Amino acid sequence: MAKIVLEGVTKAFGSDVVAVNDVSLEIGDGEFMVLVGPSGCGKSTILRLLAGLEEVTQGEIYIGDRNVTDLPPKERDVAMVFQNYALYPHMTVEQNIGFGLRLRGTPKAEMRSKVREAAKTLGLHTYLSRKPAELSGGQRQRVAIGRAMVREPKAFLMDEPLSNLDAKLRVQMRAELATLHERLATTTVYVTHDQVEAMTLGQRVAVLRDGVLQQVDTPQALYNTPTNLFVAAFIGSPPMNLVEAEIQNRGVSFAGFTLPVPEQADLSVYRGRSLILGIRPSDMEDADVWQSGSLPVIDVKAHVTEELGSEVNVLFRVDAPPVATADTVAAASEEGEEGAVIPLLIGEGQSMFCARVDARTAARPGAPVRLSVDPSRFHYFDKETGMRIGSRRAGTPVPVASSNHPS
């Protein structure tokens, strides 16, 4: 195990493409760090820089007590797990797992012992004589992980190892990876574009955009206190509802609604000015199912209801245009796309909001819904810079204020 440190690391391709821009990051000994972001954000490039597969343009990389910036891959003592497994089809599971040890000239008895121990840990001990073609996708990925494990490296570098698996198997493999890390306690750097995967696996998560590090924190802190509009829009599923709002004497006004602003939200300098208001879908609830006398209620009409079993997503229109800044467009882009947001079928000057409510809701498409909202959990962002403003303490009681909807 070893601590990994990146100091002002930059990677440029040619004279006009900067894939990683002055990234400084410290990954603790035994920590599971996830790098996440949309396509082209530089996360895989950072992994390749750590592995020595790309040369650093500027800055330094330390693994343990050594400066490895200029060392070749074989001298860095790290093991990489790839998206496509990279197994040898003509070799058995046992031979694939032990391949790296064989190249090192490890004695056969020691190699066999390490391979069988890793196979037992990964639940592969009954498949040692099989070829990769005889295995499921999840089993092949475990073989690739086993091949990395037996080397007992200072760090694991994992490049989207679950992206080729189906949804159910990804959930299972996430749990297996978390359990394995708890058991081995090996420093792990894990790259993914799936923010749900990042939130469920990472002890800390580093969010990147266009090669620049945006925020590094625990998953819950990223969700509760995003540092800017990009992180706010990227982290969370369903994503945060964002709308342009104005701070007035009575509170914050948007789309015909006026809601109170908690005293601890220091927004006095924005009074009479526009800002971006963010509301998590989980911070709204069906007032006819759960109602707190301290929370204001807004009246909306359900447009779509998505029944998920334990909860229901209620999608409804608000009379305000969508927030379509460079930050929100970048956050909405999918891997391999250019970042264009596909608009929902709504009227001009309208946005679609989502509320995640209790499954006992009676909300149905086209029917009115009373939603209680928690202003103490609102997020505020500067309209020009996209940076977080004010402050928020979840769960702090707020005064009751009237709310209205345009006729």
Side-chain angles (χ1 to χ4, degrees):
M1 296 185 294
K3 180 170 72 172
I4 297 175
V5 178
L6 294 87
E7 291 186 354
V9 170
T10 294
K11 175 60 181 178
F13 294 96
S15 60
D16 58 347
V17 178
V18 180
V20 178
N21 192 352
D22 194 23
V23 169
S24 294
L25 178 64
E26 182 173 314
I27 301 165
D29 187 359
E31 183 177 16
F32 198 120
M33 171 68 76
V34 176
L35 308 181
V36 68
S39 176
C41 71
K43 55 190 183 294
S44 291
T45 303
I46 289 177
L47 208 67
R48 292 176 63 83
L49 290 170
L50 290 174
L53 301 176
E54 299 285 355
E55 293 183 1
V56 173
T57 304
Q58 186 176 327
E60 295 182 325
I61 297 174
Y62 294 84
I63 298 178
D65 298 325
R66 295 193 305 160
N67 185 333
V68 302
T69 309
D70 298 318
L71 292 182
K74 65 180 181 179
E75 294 183 25
R76 299 194 179 200
D77 197 13
V78 296
M80 197 159 182
V81 180
F82 297 93
Q83 176 181 345
N84 62 358
Y85 319 140
L87 302 179
Y88 294 101
H90 64 286
M91 292 184 182
T92 65
V93 168
E94 183 171 10
Q95 291 169 333
N96 266 288
I97 293 177
F99 184 74
L101 296 179
R102 184 160 67 86
L103 289 181
R104 286 183 175 182
T106 306
K108 288 185 178 180
E110 181 184 348
M111 182 172 65
R112 187 178 299 110
S113 174
K114 287 186 174 182
V115 168
R116 291 182 181 275
E117 183 180 349
K120 186 175 181 181
T121 299
L122 294 166
L124 294 169
H125 53 287
T126 59
Y127 302 98
L128 287 173
S129 61
R130 294 192 184 183
K131 302 284 182 66
E134 302 173 84
L135 304 176
S136 68
Q139 289 166 341
R140 292 177 198 172
Q141 192 57 271
R142 278 183 277 165
V143 173
I145 293 170
R147 183 176 55 196
M149 280 176 55
V150 295
R151 292 179 50 195
E152 298 178 351
K154 289 182 179 178
F156 290 134
L157 308 179
M158 299 189 175
D159 190 8
E160 307 212 39
L162 308 185
S163 60
N164 286 341
L165 306 180
D166 61 52
K168 187 175 181 180
L169 194 52
R170 280 203 302 271
V171 174
Q172 178 184 334
M173 282 300 298
R174 284 206 304 263
E176 292 182 4
L177 281 174
T179 302
L180 186 63
H181 177 262
E182 186 176 344
R183 185 180 306 168
L184 300 177
T186 303
T187 307
T188 302
V189 185
Y190 187 103
V191 161
T192 180
H193 71 277
D194 184 339
Q195 57 95 13
V196 175
E197 200 169 284
M199 298 284 281
T200 53
L201 277 174
Q203 292 174 319
R204 284 193 303 155
V205 178
V207 183
L208 291 129
R209 177 193 173 193
D210 296 335
V212 178
L213 197 58
Q214 302 291 307
Q215 186 173 356
V216 185
D217 218 323
T218 63
Q220 204 59 42
L222 286 177
Y223 185 84
N224 288 331
T225 53
T227 191
N228 58 35
L229 195 56
F230 173 80
V231 177
F234 187 79
I235 297 294
S237 182
M240 183 184 290
N241 301 300
L242 296 167
V243 68
E244 189 173 325
E246 186 174 311
I247 299 299
Q248 300 178 343
N249 290 332
R250 294 180 59 200
V252 58
S253 295
F254 66 97
F257 302 108
T258 299
L259 298 171
V261 175
E263 293 180 2
Q264 69 270 24
D266 184 13
L267 298 169
S268 56
V269 297
Y270 285 85
R271 194 174 304 279
R273 294 168 54 192
S274 294
L275 47 70
I276 303 299
L277 170 67
I279 306 174
R280 293 281 185 200
S282 56
D283 293 330
M284 292 183 277
E285 186 53 84
D286 188 332
D288 294 329
V289 177
W290 294 99
Q291 170 60 12
S292 169
S294 65
L295 296 180
V297 174
I298 60 175
D299 295 301
V300 302
K301 181 161 60 172
H303 180 67
V304 175
T305 56
E306 300 174 334
E307 299 186 18
L308 305 175
S310 60
E311 54 208 359
V312 175
N313 288 340
V314 177
L315 277 67
F316 59 95
R317 297 184 179 99
V318 298
D319 293 328
V323 176
T325 66
D327 291 322
T328 59
V329 171
S333 67
E334 293 293 334
E335 188 77 0
E337 293 185 357
E338 293 300 319
V341 178
I342 301 175
L344 294 170
L345 297 177
I346 52 180
E348 186 176 353
Q350 291 186 319
S351 300
M352 190 69 76
F353 267 35
C354 176
R356 176 160 280 187
V357 304
D358 192 285
R360 292 174 293 177
T361 182
R364 294 295 180 268
V369 184
R370 298 174 63 246
L371 296 174
S372 62
V373 294
D374 187 352
S376 71
R377 300 184 67 86
F378 284 179
H379 305 259
Y380 306 94
F381 303 93
D382 185 275
K383 187 177 174 182
E384 302 301 325
T385 67
M387 298 302 295
R388 182 182 186 84
I389 55 177
S391 62
R392 179 179 61 80
R393 298 174 191 169
T396 304
V398 296
V400 178
S402 61
S403 59
N404 60 290
H405 188 274
S407 56

